[in-house]
Amino acid sequence: MKVFPCLASLFVAWFAALGCIQAVTLEVKEGNSTCIKAELSASFSITYNTSSSTRTVVVPLPDSTTIDTASSSCGSDGRSPWLVALFGSSHALGLSFSTNGSVYSIANLTLQYNLSDTSLFPDSNSSDVVTVVSGSVGIWAPINTTYRCLTPTTIGVGGATVTFSDMRLEAYMPGNELSPAESVCMADQTTTTAPTTTASTTTTTTPTTPEPTPPGSPERGSYSVKTSNGTVCLLAQMGLQLNVSYVSQSQNKTVQELLNLNPNLTSSAGSCGASSATLVLTQEPTTMLSFTFTVNSTTNKYRLSEINLQANWSDMTAPFSASNDSLNYLRSTLGHSYMCNAEQTLAVEPTFSLNTFRLQVQPFGVTTNQFAAAEECQMDQDQMLIPIIVGAALAGLVLIVLIAYLIGRKRSHAGYQTI
Ligand SMILES: *[C@@H]1O[C@H](CO)[C@@H](O)[C@H](O)[C@H]1NC(C)=O
Ligand SMILES: *[C@@H]1O[C@H](CO)[C@@H](O)[C@H](O)[C@H]1NC(C)=O
Ligand SMILES: *[C@@H]1O[C@H](CO)[C@@H](O)[C@H](O)[C@H]1NC(C)=O
Ligand SMILES: *[C@@H]1O[C@H](CO)[C@@H](O)[C@H](O)[C@H]1NC(C)=O
Ligand SMILES: *[C@@H]1O[C@H](CO)[C@@H](O)[C@H](O)[C@H]1NC(C)=O
Ligand SMILES: *[C@@H]1O[C@H](CO)[C@@H](O)[C@H](O)[C@H]1NC(C)=O
Ligand SMILES: *[C@@H]1O[C@H](CO)[C@@H](O)[C@H](O)[C@H]1NC(C)=O
Ligand SMILES: *[C@@H]1O[C@H](CO)[C@@H](O)[C@H](O)[C@H]1NC(C)=O
Ligand SMILES: *[C@@H]1O[C@H](CO)[C@@H](O)[C@H](O)[C@H]1NC(C)=O
Ligand SMILES: *[C@@H]1O[C@H](CO)[C@@H](O)[C@H](O)[C@H]1NC(C)=O
Ligand SMILES: *[C@@H]1O[C@H](CO)[C@@H](O)[C@H](O)[C@H]1NC(C)=O
Ligand SMILES: *[C@@H]1O[C@H](CO)[C@@H](O)[C@H](O)[C@H]1NC(C)=O
């Protein structure tokens, strides 16, 4: 009799832990017919002010998300079809659709969040409800087809970003179910060899466990951040390896885990400012890594001042979070990029360090989508010295051999003469 409630609470905890991985299904209906249906996972990366600094949190769209039937609409009243999903304490995600008869698209995306929710925004110095709208979402499909994008797609909206993954969505639906014909997004076409036509339904649930891959050198990824007008303002190329220690559920002890970020599964987002720039990398569904660069205007130098990691891997007993905002890494001069081909270890917290490989970044002053001249790290400069030293040593050796030969020849000449 006592076992049952115990088991039940265990299951609740289990599902709560899985909450951020699971996809939600959202449906807007009018009468008996469905006009918008979306099956997706989403997470939001939101930056807010505390009294002393700024902080970035990643908020998953929870299972408990519901449709706001009062605001959502199928558009029969002359308005655009609108899907409004509510979650947590008065946070909302809105998708507005438009069509030209042959193609439908997300016309704009609205994110509303309530900074007085201290469970999501601890230490926020504001209690405002913030509403941000993005006009260029880039999600569209022919009418009577389902838009499909399993690859994470990140959309910037105000200072926040929204990352969708495992997404299937249709508006202006001809029936009550998603159309079997799928319009597959570009990212899915390049990262998988899946057919571009309707995929069989058995393959729809791709494994959502990009969990700890065996180590080895991580693959180098190319990441960028764009301003709202589409120009690239931050560039980064690097291989990244996370070194995290956490309490393992299966082993009931603290374990040290290395995870290589897989660029194919990682999306980038962020923001650029004159004195501070942030790059947010998200490997769906459970890893978020952010870098903040700041400028010292008296010296005209910039540095990597903050690293923040949030992770919720399946074997973790609790979501992992580590951040440090008083770092002093990757120092370079404004107008230059920073480069380090050698492996570097960036210590963040005792429980988390980051290994970088073949790194080049430029967080400020990017023009024409290209890196400016690079300032190289000391390790690379030292490594460059090795061939020079070896070369010099070889040249010296050749010289000695040559001199020895010449002397030897002179001696032997002298020898013949005395005989
Ligand atoms: C909705 O469904 C109910 C029962 O299935 C049916 O009686 C009703 O006529 C339907 N309404 C519309 C508008 O189709
Ligand atoms: C943080 O505060 C600064 C200065 O008041 C303001 O410009 C900025 O918009 C705030 N950021 C957020 C995310 O509220
Ligand atoms: C919140 O903090 C930022 C600096 O972090 C400051 O600029 C802003 O004025 C503060 N806002 C309020 C409402 O106190
Ligand atoms: C609708 O928009 C798409 C993409 O912008 C375009 O290719 C198509 O020709 C348009 N159709 C009509 C009927 O305007
Ligand atoms: C979003 O797009 C719809 C349809 O184009 C439009 O009616 C609505 O005003 C837009 N909302 C915002 C906030 O731009
Ligand atoms: C924001 O959240 C707080 C605390 O959860 C709540 O009291 C308040 O009503 C919310 N604001 C709105 C506009 O719903
Ligand atoms: C979409 O499907 C509906 C019902 O099957 C049909 O009436 C309509 O003509 C189709 N529209 C297009 C653009 O194919
Ligand atoms: C985009 O905005 C940046 C500043 O945010 C500006 O320097 C640049 O000229 C703009 N580019 C275009 C194409 O409008
Ligand atoms: C990972 O971190 C631990 C503890 O800081 C350290 O002992 C270990 O060498 C690190 N491993 C790698 C591959 O960086
Ligand atoms: C986990 O380890 C702790 C002590 O290290 C022990 O008290 C506890 O019973 C263990 N739990 C399980 C489920 O094995
Ligand atoms: C990423 O994709 C490329 C090309 O599709 C492939 O060659 C590479 O092996 C993939 N990397 C990983 C780590 O899956
Ligand atoms: C900028 O650099 C100077 C010289 O290194 C240092 O004294 C000053 O504290 C730095 N300012 C900031 C805001 O980090």
Side-chain angles (χ1 to χ4, degrees):
M1 286 301 271
K2 270 188 180 164
V3 173
F4 180 68
C6 177
L7 267 183
S9 63
L10 211 118
F11 272 117
V12 169
W14 173 240
F15 281 114
L18 278 179
C20 64
I21 307 171
Q22 277 186 352
V24 296
T25 299
L26 304 166
E27 235 177 307
V28 180
K29 290 185 180 182
E30 203 165 66
N32 294 349
S33 56
T34 303
C35 60
I36 308 173
K37 187 164 181 172
E39 298 172 1
L40 49 83
S41 303
S43 65
F44 311 98
S45 161
I46 298 170
T47 303
Y48 64 97
N49 285 328
T50 65
S51 54
S52 59
S53 67
T54 62
R55 200 174 289 183
T56 301
V57 291
V58 173
V59 180
L61 188 70
D63 277 357
S64 53
T65 302
T66 55
I67 283 287
D68 179 2
T69 46
S71 322
S72 296
S73 120
C74 280
S76 59
D77 51 358
R79 292 186 297 158
S80 310
W82 205 22
L83 180 158
V84 181
L86 298 176
F87 60 99
S89 66
S90 67
H91 313 296
L93 170 71
L95 301 176
S96 167
F97 292 86
S98 65
T99 181
N100 70 1
S102 56
V103 167
Y104 67 92
S105 62
I106 297 185
N108 53 46
L109 180 155
T110 311
L111 176 64
Q112 180 176 305
Y113 51 94
N114 179 351
L115 288 172
S116 47
D117 181 351
T118 50
S119 64
L120 295 185
F121 308 107
D123 306 328
S124 171
N125 73 348
S126 156
S127 53
D128 291 350
V129 174
V130 179
T131 304
V132 282
V133 182
S134 167
S136 56
V137 178
I139 291 178
W140 60 272
I143 226 129
N144 290 355
T145 68
T146 298
Y147 175 84
R148 186 198 99 178
C149 203
L150 306 180
T151 310
T153 317
T154 298
I155 296 151
V157 44
T161 66
V162 179
T163 302
F164 292 116
S165 55
D166 291 324
M167 183 183 214
R168 279 194 171 70
L169 165 138
E170 187 174 6
Y172 305 96
M173 293 167 68
N176 284 342
E177 293 304 325
L178 289 175
S179 295
E182 290 187 336
S183 169
V184 178
C185 69
M186 211 54 116
D188 279 9
Q189 291 176 25
T190 52
T191 58
T192 67
T193 51
T196 50
T197 47
T198 315
S200 103
T201 45
T202 50
T203 62
T204 54
T205 44
T206 53
T208 47
T209 45
E211 302 321 351
T213 45
S217 271
E219 211 172 293
R220 192 183 199 206
S222 293
Y223 309 106
S224 64
V225 176
K226 289 181 179 156
T227 61
S228 50
N229 68 13
T231 42
V232 171
C233 58
L234 182 154
L235 279 172
Q237 289 189 356
M238 53 202 169
L240 294 170
Q241 182 175 66
L242 313 178
N243 185 348
V244 177
S245 82
Y246 63 91
V247 180
S248 156
Q249 217 159 37
S250 57
Q251 299 175 50
N252 191 21
K253 63 167 188 188
T254 301
V255 295
Q256 194 82 37
E257 178 100 41
L258 292 174
L259 172 77
N260 289 343
L261 276 199
N262 180 345
N264 295 348
L265 304 175
T266 302
S267 58
S268 59
S271 59
C272 296
S275 62
S276 140
T278 302
L279 169 68
V280 182
L281 300 180
T282 313
Q283 178 163 314
E284 287 299 308
T286 54
T287 310
M288 195 281 312
L289 177 67
S290 78
F291 301 86
T292 300
F293 297 85
T294 49
V295 172
N296 181 331
S297 50
T298 52
T299 57
N300 259 4
K301 302 238 178 209
Y302 65 85
R303 66 182 205 277
L304 173 59
S305 59
E306 177 172 357
I307 295 179
N308 180 321
L309 173 69
Q310 309 210 13
N312 195 356
W313 303 341
S314 55
D315 193 33
M316 286 175 167
T317 47
F320 179 91
S321 169
S323 94
N324 187 334
D325 61 5
S326 51
L327 303 175
N328 190 10
Y329 293 129
L330 318 190
R331 288 180 299 277
S332 185
T333 314
L334 278 183
H336 289 82
S337 59
Y338 173 93
M339 183 146 107
C340 202
N341 281 312
E343 177 181 350
Q344 260 185 312
T345 297
L346 312 181
V348 178
E349 271 193 20
T351 51
F352 169 52
S353 62
L354 181 68
N355 297 326
T356 68
F357 299 76
R358 296 201 290 142
L359 174 145
Q360 185 169 15
V361 292
Q362 187 175 345
F364 301 101
V366 173
T367 52
T368 64
N369 207 354
Q370 276 173 342
F371 285 114
E375 284 182 358
E376 275 202 78
C377 61
Q378 192 61 45
M379 264 185 289
D380 282 6
Q381 292 176 16
D382 291 349
Q383 272 178 6
M384 222 120 81
L385 273 181
I386 294 171
I388 294 173
I389 292 167
V390 169
L394 277 178
L397 205 68
V398 166
L399 207 68
I400 289 167
V401 168
L402 201 73
I403 290 169
Y405 168 76
L406 288 176
I407 291 172
R409 216 171 67 146
K410 213 171 169 188
R411 280 237 177 105
S412 58
H413 271 288
Y416 281 121
Q417 274 171 0
T418 54
I419 287 176

